[in-house]
Each structure stands twice: as C-alpha cells, then as structure tokens.
Amino acid sequence: RGEVHRRGDFRVVRMRFHRASVAQRRWPLPPMPTPYTAFLPDADATDRAGRALARGLEGGMVVTLSGELGAGKTTFARGVLRGLGWQGPVKSPSYTLLEHYPLSSLYLYHFDFYRFADPQEWETVGAAECFTPSSVGLVEWPERVEGLLPPADLAVHLAPATGGDGRTLELVATTTAGERCVNEIEAALA
C-alpha cells in the first residue's frame, strides 16, 4: 500500500490513498475557534467587558488587545484592572512599553507595543521574563511582536462601529481558560 525509502537512519513511508477513502475517514481535528462578537455602545460598556474578563483570568494567561488607535484598548485594559481590584491610576504604556500591576492574586503586565521598533527592545524591557505561571500578560499591538510573544489564550479585537458611536468587540479563545473569559464577558453583556 505504500513505498518505503531509506534516508540515512530514517525510514520514509509514502502512502497512496484513494480520495474517497480519505474523505470517509474521521480525522480528530480540533475545532476552529468561533469568534464571539458584541456591540459596545460606549466607554462604560467597554469598561464592563474588561471587568468581566478579569473574573476569568488566572496566572499564566496571555490576552492580546488589537485595534486601531482610539479603538478602546486602554479603556478595556482599565476595566480589566478595575475588575481585579486595582484602585490606582491606569495609563497606556505607549511610551514605556510596560506597566506592572502587582495585585494580591497575581501580577498583571500591561504591554503596549505601538512604538516598538527594534526587537532588541524586547530584551531591554525584559518582556520574556514577564510571562510566568503567576502573571497575566495584557498585550496591546501584539502584531508588532509576532514571533516573540507566547501564544495568546484570548485575542480581543476592538473596532469603531460602522456608521456611528460605539465599537465592535470580537473575542477568539484558543484555550479553555480563554473560553472561560469569553463566557464571563458574554454573561456580563447579556
């Protein structure tokens, strides 16, 4: 049914399948994540969604926040921090790349890679050391550090709503922990 070839110490087996037999097989492929989408009419709703996300967070998670400038990423991050009990100021780390929030239950590292220009900055700021089992990484502009960033548990995308005020929230969970966060947000916005 197949051809066997030797390459050094390895055996390569080339199998030939009839198309119909492959089509009839049931491959155990993981399901593709289904995005959850919601309309957020104002900054309060964006804050509420962030607070809901906080209820599902646990150490070791990575949450990415993407969207154009002014889409509400920092407002969402502020909601997350308020939901975790942070009472101090919350500012966008646009110029510093990183803000650290030591909370009683975990460490939250809020990254903003908008001004990230040189991969050496990843090392300079010590970003890799921030992704630990006892911390949560909240990452704005994740596309600027692709290849350096650990895989996200949850991808959050915010976009201005077409034709008016508010914004569209899209969530894609890639882990069970990420799904738990989506469920929390869905319940809070229902």
Side-chain angles (χ1 to χ4, degrees):
R1 216 167 156 181
E3 303 170 20
V4 178
H5 302 278
R6 284 191 114 11
R7 288 197 182 144
D9 292 336
F10 299 98
R11 260 183 14 178
V12 177
V13 179
R14 291 194 180 141
M15 301 296 289
R16 292 198 175 120
F17 294 102
H18 185 271
R19 241 181 234 177
S21 68
V22 172
Q24 291 171 358
R25 286 183 167 244
R26 298 206 184 271
W27 299 97
L29 296 174
M32 292 295 291
T34 304
Y36 166 78
T37 305
F39 174 71
L40 304 174
D42 52 28
D44 287 340
T46 305
D47 179 84
R48 194 167 63 251
R51 287 175 187 260
L53 170 73
R55 290 192 290 272
L57 290 177
E58 63 185 38
M61 290 184 70
V62 176
V63 177
T64 60
L65 302 173
S66 60
E68 60 188 56
L69 286 172
K73 296 181 297 294
T74 301
T75 302
F76 187 87
R78 186 175 296 114
V80 171
L81 282 156
R82 295 290 181 242
L84 290 170
W86 184 257
Q87 298 300 316
V90 177
K91 57 185 178 182
S92 175
S94 291
Y95 292 99
T96 59
L97 292 180
L98 169 65
E99 290 290 334
H100 171 234
Y101 299 93
L103 301 153
S104 62
S105 57
L106 51 81
Y107 292 102
L108 188 132
Y109 294 97
H110 181 194
F111 296 90
D112 185 331
F113 289 109
Y114 178 70
R115 299 187 192 292
F116 186 78
D118 180 3
Q120 194 65 25
E121 289 177 276
W122 178 267
E123 295 299 324
T124 303
V125 79
E129 298 165 12
C130 297
F131 297 96
T132 69
S134 62
S135 68
V136 170
L138 196 57
V139 183
E140 294 187 41
W141 300 95
E143 59 276 4
R144 303 212 179 198
V145 289
E146 221 169 347
L148 299 172
L149 190 64
D153 295 279
L154 179 65
V156 177
H157 182 78
L158 293 159
T162 53
D165 295 333
R167 58 191 48 90
T168 301
L169 169 70
E170 182 180 274
L171 306 170
V172 177
T174 58
T175 65
T176 303
E179 288 174 5
R180 188 175 50 253
C181 292
V182 171
N183 292 337
E184 291 287 350
I185 293 172
E186 190 174 8
L189 297 178

